[in-house]
Amino acid sequence: MRVVAAMSGGVDSAVAAARMIDAGHDVVGVHLALSQSAATLRESARGCCTIEDAGDARRVADQLGIPFYVWDMAARFSRDVVDDFRAEYAAGRTPNPCLRCNEKIKFAALLDKALALGFDAVATGHYAQVVETTAPGGGVVRELHRAVDPAKDQSYVLGVLDAEQLARSFFPLGDTTKPQIREEAAARGFYVAKKPDSHDICFIADGDTRGWLTRELGEAPGEIVDTTGEVLGRHRGAFAYTVGQRRGLALSRPAADGQPRYVVEVRPESNQVVVGTADLLGVNAITGEHARWCGPAPEGVVEVGAQVRAHGEEYPARAWAQDGRVEVRLEGRVRGVAPGQSVVLYDGTRVIGSATITAARLDRSDAAAPVG
């Protein structure tokens, strides 16, 4: 099989490419240039897609003896990921850019170009597993499952992939832990064996999301109020706050009962940030849109595990598709669920699909004791 190995310049994608070669595939390495003004060097472990990263990817490809190319997708990345990120925060929501990048870039733009050039599939260094099973009527079905290393599992950010994309995707690292991957990279003589993992948002290299948003959207001073509308403080932009946030509120006076206060709502239309006590954060009913199913959409009400953060806990829940939406009812209350986040649904280790959260609330007729 002819395979494009997406090579970021890190240790994971290096080992993934090597394993695809070992499996007998005809592999070509591709580095995605996602920045229109790529930095020369990384800032510690922050960011990615620098000129240094491209050079590291090329060095590994040379060691593996495979062709290597750089594909410029900076304009597409800027439109589909960066612009979306900016617009979501401006609208008072909290997006996940890694999930959107997987949907729009790595398993859409990259995969589409690979197929157009005659390749059969793409391989990445994500920590997840594709498990092949036999369908009831015959034929092979490819399912997306969690990685064996729970600390590195990335199935959450892959929950946007549909069945056709999964059929063309390989994740060679899903059955291995990260320490083992580093050991393998060292054994193969890869220079990147000890290279730090990238983290935070790749296009905000210094990790200062609030500063980036302020530069992009401009300062927009407004009020911080409690649930009764009383003004407790001022902010420089409601876009810099997210539901569940406690730090950085700079309130003028403490609560009368001495309890800490959290962001419970962001109101972009009035440029207000609403704060309240922790008990106001607990929700057990989630509505999502933009559903993406990793296989057939579930029929009726199904028992699932629901995860609302990339490295968050999975909660028991019931879910069903209804009028183009996904409704999720958690068995208990979960704090800090914000519009714009994604809810990813699981059946054991298998990913069922995902949806973008548009609303989260407490349904008292279905309320349960807090679980998180």
Side-chain angles (χ1 to χ4, degrees), residues 5 7 9 13-14 17-18 21 27-31 54-69 190 192:
M7 302 182 70
S13 60
I21 296 170
V27 178
V28 169
V30 169
H31 179 80
D56 288 342
R58 183 180 297 277
R59 185 182 302 184
V60 170
D62 288 344
Q63 286 181 260
L64 294 173
I66 61 174
F68 177 81
Y69 302 95
F190 291 161
V192 295

Side-chain angles (χ1 to χ4, degrees), residues 114-128:
L115 296 178
L117 292 174
F119 291 91
D120 302 300
V122 299
T124 72
H126 286 98
Y127 284 81

